[in-house]
Amino acid sequence: MSKSSLPASDGAPRLRASLIAADFTADGLLERLGAPAYTALARSETVPALRATRGDSRLDTLVRLFLLQRPVSDGAAAAALPLEECLRDGWVVREGGQVSATVDVRPYGGPEGQDWFIVSDLGCAVGGAGGIGSHEEGVVLGVGGASTTLAGITVRGPVASALDLGTGSGIQALHAAQHATRVTATDVNPRALDFTRLTLALSGAAAADLREGSLFEPVGTETYDLIVSNPPFVISPGARLTYRDGGMGGDDLCRTLVQQAGDRLNEGGYAQFLANWQHVEGEDWQDRVRSWVPAGCDAWIVQREVQDVTQYTELWLRDSGDHRADPASYAERYEAWLDEFESRSTKAVGFGWITLRRSAAAAAGNPSVVTEEWPHAVEQPLGPAVEAHFARQDYLREHDDAALLAARFTLAEEVVQEQVGLPGAEDPEHVVLRQHRGMRRATKVDAVGAGFAGVCDGSLPAGRILDAIAQLMSEDPVLLRDRTPQAIRLLVEEGFLEPLG
């Protein structure tokens, strides 16, 4: 791992052209390395990739140089790169007839097949040659699972302004540059801003407005249409590592970030974060995180995972390489983490997504705040599903039960019905509607709900459908109309039914 001075971005366009010409791209890597060696890199195992690049092609050279961070011969480097320019700008150094990289350059495929490159400190690309562990203060990591998760859940409509708060190596700013007229990226670590500049330049993206500082300090009272942040959310005793430890007690950093975001959003704007939150004895985690939602904003809070304090401690001690220390030192640090959690009555830590949207309805005192636990698989990118969630909340706020019965609905795309029961039974025990898109939800419905959903094709109002079902089932149509709107409302809220008009 290196913390030397960083390359200049002036020659990035020519270097980018050389990388692409050699097929040093996400697709090119997969084809050259093969799936086993490619996926082994995600586990920080480099031997398969080294074996796969024993040839002398330009791609072999670039993989070894920038991805595996091994020195290559001067001649091989000259064949693969504009070498003298890269030496001048500081992308590589020459010593004893060999050339070594000064930074990690990792191919990254954009959502529309773009060839992008994420630049980070040597040995600090998550799942890369160095893997996670033994990170020094101030280093800048590359792309990890959290980064790609946030990129996938972000709403991607065209916007005038976007803010990437805590930019790191710049992946969120890179995504935002594709659909935002103006991108501002901030970080408390000035080295991260330099890496973001390199990532954008080497990826052929427009430059961002880069500002140093903590949380919203660098942007003052400026407002944005989109705010994204993968903050240093780890709940730890102290702030040893800038990239993960926010320096505030408990989950105060995430709370502060969420609470302060509301005043920085334009009407209709989104703020999307990854976060950790404490599960405190005697307190509902949903109540805790709901209390963070600022006035004037709707919110969707999804808890994806929960770890007890021992699991959480071990995860982040491994991340920082403390498990490789002598046993006494490791035990001392482990104790410090548990002492911190005990002092805060914390029994577990939740991880998930928080999305805010500034809306007129919320400003008028009628916010939609949905909290849920959803540890199941979802379909990424989830940005369209996030936007659809808030559109459905708007619809439901604007339609009372009478309006729902007068409305027309269609069954959402790729929803299937499953009947669950004992083999050979005449009737199923229950019926399940299951989505194969977005959140991939499943919900149990009764015979009325299944029948209603099955015939929703937009041709008839909901009330007329219920009248027909009542006749078929010999039920009182008035009673059926009275009791069914709540079930319709739930099917709309969870995305099984889509309103027309």
Side-chain angles (χ1 to χ4, degrees):
M1 165 173 22
S2 170
K3 287 182 65 178
S4 60
S5 59
L6 297 181
S9 58
D10 297 350
R14 191 171 171 208
L15 174 56
R16 170 179 169 79
S18 296
L19 299 179
I20 293 175
D23 213 16
F24 186 64
T25 63
D27 290 341
L29 281 182
L30 179 58
E31 183 176 349
R32 181 68 185 91
L33 300 181
Y38 188 82
T39 54
L41 286 175
R43 304 190 299 272
S44 303
E45 297 292 346
T46 60
V47 172
L50 285 167
R51 289 174 60 85
T53 56
R54 288 179 293 191
D56 57 1
S57 72
R58 290 183 298 165
L59 180 54
D60 291 334
T61 297
L62 293 172
V63 171
R64 285 177 168 258
L65 180 65
F66 285 122
L67 199 64
L68 304 178
Q69 293 148 25
R70 301 300 176 96
V72 300
S73 71
D74 191 278
L81 295 166
L83 181 56
E84 295 307 317
E85 193 171 343
C86 288
L87 287 165
R88 181 200 69 205
D89 289 345
W91 292 94
V92 297
V93 293
R94 177 192 281 143
E95 185 175 356
Q98 290 193 309
V99 174
S100 300
T102 61
V103 291
D104 183 295
V105 177
R106 192 150 303 252
Y108 177 76
E112 298 178 1
Q114 302 99 323
D115 291 319
W116 291 343
F117 301 94
I118 309 300
V119 189
S120 63
D121 269 311
L122 292 174
C124 293
V126 177
I132 302 177
S134 302
H135 293 322
E136 300 172 6
E137 172 67 13
V139 299
V140 178
L141 272 63
V143 180
S147 301
T148 55
T149 293
L150 179 58
I153 68 173
T154 300
V155 175
R156 293 295 176 195
V159 294
S161 58
L163 170 64
D164 175 14
L165 193 152
T167 186
S169 56
I171 179 175
Q172 309 305 330
L174 178 57
H175 277 278
Q178 311 309 304
H179 64 101
T181 303
R182 174 175 59 88
V183 176
T184 302
T186 71
D187 206 290
V188 69
N189 181 4
R191 190 173 179 83
L193 300 177
D194 289 333
F195 273 115
T196 295
R197 182 181 294 108
L198 294 174
T199 289
L200 294 172
L202 197 56
S203 298
D209 178 6
L210 304 176
R211 306 186 193 181
E212 180 182 347
S214 177
L215 297 177
F216 289 101
E217 291 173 3
V219 300
T221 59
E222 294 176 30
T223 58
Y224 299 86
D225 301 312
L226 174 67
I227 299 172
V228 292
S229 183
N230 176 19
F233 53 67
V234 176
I235 299 171
S236 62
R240 291 172 54 207
L241 301 171
T242 303
Y243 74 90
R244 71 169 203 190
D245 304 318
M248 296 186 185
D251 51 19
D252 284 354
L253 182 137
C254 292
R255 175 185 56 79
T256 301
L257 184 61
V258 173
Q259 289 179 335
Q260 293 183 355
D263 290 337
R264 272 77 177 190
L265 281 177
N266 294 325
E267 178 68 22
Y270 289 89
Q272 298 186 262
F273 314 103
L274 302 186
N276 272 176
W277 43 78
Q278 297 167 196
H279 284 225
V280 176
E281 291 283 354
E283 179 183 66
D284 188 312
W285 75 266
Q286 297 193 34
D287 292 339
R288 182 182 191 85
V289 186
R290 284 173 68 96
S291 72
W292 298 355
V293 178
C297 288
D298 301 317
W300 186 19
I301 299 160
V302 182
Q303 181 167 272
R304 296 287 286 160
E305 184 180 2
V306 181
Q307 292 184 316
D308 67 48
V309 292
T310 60
Q311 293 173 311
Y312 189 81
T313 297
E314 291 160 15
L315 169 67
W316 293 108
L317 288 177
R318 287 194 301 272
D319 169 84
S320 55
D322 289 310
H323 64 301
R324 299 191 185 102
D326 67 89
S329 177
Y330 175 75
E332 182 180 355
R333 286 210 163 135
Y334 202 139
E335 287 273 7
W337 282 66
L338 295 185
D339 286 345
E340 175 77 6
F341 287 128
E342 185 176 345
S343 71
R344 298 179 178 277
S345 301
T346 300
K347 59 183 180 179
V349 177
F351 166 80
W353 319 322
I354 298 176
T355 299
L356 306 177
R357 186 194 59 166
R358 191 157 192 86
S359 76
N366 186 24
S368 164
V369 179
V370 176
T371 59
E372 62 177 314
E373 187 161 5
W374 191 255
H376 311 294
V378 300
E379 181 194 46
Q380 287 278 31
L382 203 64
V386 172
E387 194 169 17
H389 165 88
F390 287 96
R392 292 194 298 269
Q393 296 302 314
D394 287 343
Y395 178 88
L396 292 172
R397 274 187 296 209
E398 295 164 1
H399 289 73
D400 60 15
D401 287 355
L404 282 182
L405 292 175
R408 300 167 190 259
F409 301 93
T410 59
L411 192 64
E413 185 181 358
E414 294 192 28
V415 171
V416 298
Q417 176 179 301
E418 300 173 358
Q419 299 189 64
V420 181
L422 294 173
E426 184 175 346
D427 296 311
E429 293 179 14
H430 57 263
V431 174
V432 173
L433 299 181
R434 187 178 301 278
Q435 302 169 351
H436 287 279
R437 304 295 301 272
M439 292 291 283
R440 293 177 174 167
R441 297 186 187 277
T443 187
K444 281 199 268 188
V445 292
D446 60 14
V448 172
F452 180 85
V455 298
C456 275
D457 60 4
S459 61
L460 291 173
R464 290 275 302 279
I465 294 174
L466 291 178
D467 291 343
I469 291 174
Q471 186 174 5
L472 286 171
M473 300 181 69
S474 300
E475 290 205 29
D476 185 328
V478 175
L479 293 178
L480 193 60
R481 278 175 173 256
D482 284 345
R483 77 167 193 258
T484 306
Q486 187 57 39
I488 296 174
R489 194 170 291 276
L490 179 62
L491 291 175
V492 172
E493 181 176 0
E494 295 193 342
F496 291 94
L497 294 179
E498 296 178 348
L500 292 180

